[in-house]
């Protein structure tokens, strides 16, 4: 401190002058070439990624032409169902009461399960879609003359993105209803993930109106770049959260209404009619396709691989009943996932997704303990 306050200059052990760096012309040229190369590389990579994205997503929206032979069909509650099981993880074939009641066709897809679980590439997605057509013996599900609603069970909700090839198998116009605790509509993902497929489904030319029921996950508040903002603001996707009002710029200009008036109130028929009345015309005009992820329900109502929602089983069934009423019982198809099964995946990336996105409490479950719970929710 005394030295700093002294007027005597401090001795310098090194030269006080700093070296001056000068770039020669060839240095500037080399630097320019390096920067230009880096920019060109970025443009090439981003262009290739954009082309990959555009080409694969474009293919998702190409469907066979709808023909007059595929006319809208009315269904009554007394008609039987066509039921099938896509056995990807072994969870549904163990449900003996379900099999005894409906005698479903069971398709063995266990060899695909680990490679498709949680995430898949577009290349594998197309191969799987072709495999379904091979096993089913047809490429569409609404041109065979069978007027019964089609119900598909396919195990864990780690496979919910595999609802997309099922939805693409219908060529007539219909309304699409999703029950899910999570958005499942995240965008800008290089492939298909169980949380990224709904935007593509809602954008299909066959889908006239899309509804999302039961959202309760904080993912709805994620940054707006991940959300289908245009579809939400245009009203093509209508979202009814269980009881939360979401925040963020993606929700600007989007009318939000919750299924519960207050968090402590149950979902009532009066409230549902108030929410559905504005859509009465479109619901009555087109048949209904329901894709149901059982994580929309409380954990006590269904045990599955993801964090659970805030809706009771009785509340979700009330919504289904009213949707059928508004659609004049014109039910096209239902697909159901959300049965617990131990996670088995292929590839380091899927292992990483499992470790980072699954909560260990949701997956530290005895499969035999989950079986009665899963079977009851499927039967109901």
């Amino acid at each position: 401190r005394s030295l700093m306050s002294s007027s005597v200059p401090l001795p310098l052990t090194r030269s006080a002058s700093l070296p001056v760096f000068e770039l020669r012309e060839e240095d500037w040229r080399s630097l320019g070439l390096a920067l230009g190369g880096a920019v060109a590389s970025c443009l090439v990579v981003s262009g290739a990624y954009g082309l990959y994205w555009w080409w694969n997503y474009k293919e998702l929206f190409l469907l066979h032409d709808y023909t007059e032979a595929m006319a809208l069909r009315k269904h009554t509650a007394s008609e039987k169902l066509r039921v099938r099981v896509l056995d990807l993880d072994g969870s549904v074939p163990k449900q003996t009461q379900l099999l005894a009641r409906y005698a479903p066709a069971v398709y063995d897809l266990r060899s695909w399960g680990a490679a498709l679980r949680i995430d898949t590439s577009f290349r594998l997605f197309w191969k799987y879609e072709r495999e379904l057509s091979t096993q089913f013996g047809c490429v569409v599900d609404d041109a065979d003359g069978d007027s019964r609603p089609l119900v598909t069970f396919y195990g864990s909700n780690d496979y919910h993105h595999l609802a997309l090839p099922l939805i693409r198998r219908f060529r007539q116009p219909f309304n699409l209803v999703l029950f899910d605790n999570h958005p499942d509509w995240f965008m800008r993902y290089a492939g298909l993930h169980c949380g990224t497929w709904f935007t593509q489904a809602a954008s299909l030319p066959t889908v006239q109106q899309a509804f999302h029921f039961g959202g309760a996950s904080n993912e709805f508040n994620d940054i707006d770049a991940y959300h289908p903002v245009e579809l939400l603001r245009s009203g093509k996707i209508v979202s009814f959260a269980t009881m939360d009002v979401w925040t963020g710029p993606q929700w600007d200009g989007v009318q939000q209404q919750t299924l519960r008036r207050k968090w402590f109130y149950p979902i009532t028929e009066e409230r549902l009619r108030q929410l559905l009345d504005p859509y009465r015309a479109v619901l009555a005009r087109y048949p209904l396709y329901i894709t149901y992820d059982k994580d929309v329900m409380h954990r006590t109502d269904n045990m599955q691989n993801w964090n659970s929602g805030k809706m009771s089983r009785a509340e979700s069934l009330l919504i289904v009943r009213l949707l059928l009423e508004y659609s004049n019982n014109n039910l096209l198809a239902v697909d159901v996932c959300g049965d617990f099964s131990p996670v088995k995946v292929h590839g380091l990336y899927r292992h990483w997704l499992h470790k980072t996105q699954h909560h260990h409490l949701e997956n530290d479950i005895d499969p035999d303990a989950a079986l009665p719970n899963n079977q009851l929710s499927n039967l109901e």
Side-chain angles (χ1 to χ4, degrees):
R1 184 179 302 172
S2 61
L3 285 173
M4 293 178 67
S5 62
S6 171
S7 60
V8 179
L10 294 175
L12 298 177
T13 58
R14 301 179 63 181
S15 172
S17 61
L18 297 176
V20 178
F21 296 98
E22 295 183 358
L23 290 176
R24 296 170 297 178
E25 183 178 350
E26 52 268 29
D27 295 329
W28 283 108
R29 188 179 300 110
S30 300
L31 182 60
L33 290 173
L35 290 175
V39 171
S41 299
C42 290
L43 290 175
V44 169
V45 171
S46 59
Y49 181 77
L51 181 62
Y52 168 83
W53 183 277
W54 171 82
W55 178 259
N56 284 284
Y57 272 48
K58 174 181 70 67
E59 290 293 317
L60 287 178
F61 307 137
L62 295 180
L63 301 175
H64 296 292
D65 292 336
Y66 172 75
T67 66
E68 291 302 321
M70 303 173 190
L72 298 182
R73 303 164 300 175
K74 299 293 181 181
H75 306 289
T76 63
S78 61
E79 284 187 275
K80 293 182 178 180
L81 303 171
R82 290 182 291 164
V83 181
R84 64 189 176 191
V85 173
L86 308 185
D87 182 17
L88 292 156
D89 60 1
S91 60
V92 181
K94 295 178 180 178
Q95 300 176 24
T96 55
Q97 292 181 39
L98 181 73
L99 300 186
R101 177 179 296 185
Y102 294 107
V106 179
Y107 297 92
D108 184 5
L109 296 164
R110 295 288 293 275
S111 61
W112 292 81
L116 294 171
R117 191 156 189 163
I118 306 177
D119 157 274
T120 183
S121 66
F122 285 114
R123 179 184 60 83
L124 198 58
F125 173 83
W126 302 127
K127 292 179 66 175
Y128 174 75
E129 190 172 53
R130 290 192 295 270
E131 176 67 17
L132 289 182
S133 296
T134 299
Q135 295 215 22
F136 296 160
C138 58
V139 296
V140 296
D141 283 328
D142 54 356
D144 57 1
D146 194 333
S147 63
R148 293 174 299 167
L150 178 60
V151 180
T152 305
F153 296 96
Y154 51 107
S156 170
N157 41 1
D158 284 340
Y159 298 108
H160 204 178
H161 51 302
L162 302 186
L164 184 57
L166 301 178
I167 294 168
R168 281 167 46 84
R169 292 180 60 82
F170 291 92
R171 299 299 187 257
Q172 61 181 287
F174 57 90
N175 295 318
L176 178 62
V177 174
L178 168 63
F179 285 84
D180 205 299
N181 182 42
H182 309 91
D184 281 15
W185 61 40
F186 283 170
M187 303 171 64
R188 296 171 178 83
Y189 185 80
L192 284 175
H193 183 282
C194 58
T196 68
W197 62 274
F198 189 57
T199 297
Q200 287 72 51
S203 301
L204 289 170
T206 48
V207 174
Q208 306 305 300
Q209 179 69 63
F211 298 91
H212 189 299
F213 285 91
S217 166
N218 286 330
E219 293 171 1
F220 287 89
N221 292 322
D222 282 352
I223 60 176
D224 61 321
Y226 295 154
H227 296 266
V229 176
E230 293 184 4
L231 294 177
L232 287 167
R233 291 177 181 169
S234 68
K236 180 65 179 294
I237 296 178
V238 177
S239 175
F240 294 122
T242 302
M243 61 186 189
D244 299 287
V245 176
W246 312 116
T247 60
Q250 69 270 19
W251 296 103
D252 293 344
V254 179
Q255 184 180 8
Q256 295 192 65
Q257 298 190 81
T258 58
L259 296 171
R260 294 177 182 167
R261 294 181 184 276
K262 300 290 184 181
W263 67 268
F264 47 84
Y265 289 164
I267 299 173
T268 63
E269 182 173 334
E270 178 188 8
R271 175 60 174 170
L272 289 174
R273 291 189 183 278
Q274 179 186 14
L275 297 175
L276 292 177
D277 275 346
Y279 306 98
R280 181 181 292 273
V282 70
L283 284 170
R285 183 176 180 183
Y286 300 106
L288 202 62
Y289 186 110
I290 299 175
T291 175
Y292 194 103
D293 186 339
K294 294 191 291 183
D295 71 9
V296 75
M297 296 186 287
H298 294 303
R299 194 109 186 127
T300 53
D301 286 327
N302 190 75
M303 301 169 71
Q304 38 78 36
N305 293 96
W306 290 82
N307 54 314
S308 298
K310 301 174 182 177
M311 187 185 296
S312 71
R313 185 185 302 153
E315 288 173 326
S316 70
L317 292 176
L318 173 62
I319 298 171
V320 170
R321 179 174 67 80
L322 287 180
L323 285 169
L324 290 174
E325 176 188 320
Y326 276 67
S327 300
N328 300 317
N329 286 321
N330 194 3
L331 179 62
L332 185 64
V334 182
D335 70 67
V336 182
C337 65
D339 294 317
F340 177 80
S341 65
V343 178
K344 298 178 181 179
V345 293
H346 286 167
L348 291 176
Y349 180 61
R350 290 185 191 88
H351 278 285
W352 179 80
L353 289 175
H354 166 51
K355 294 298 184 182
T356 57
Q357 296 186 353
H358 282 148
H359 195 283
H360 71 279
L361 292 179
E362 273 78 27
N363 287 273
D364 188 17
I365 297 175
D366 181 0
D368 292 333
L371 180 59
N373 180 281
N374 292 157
Q375 180 168 243
L376 178 61
S377 59
N378 283 338
L379 288 169
E380 291 193 352

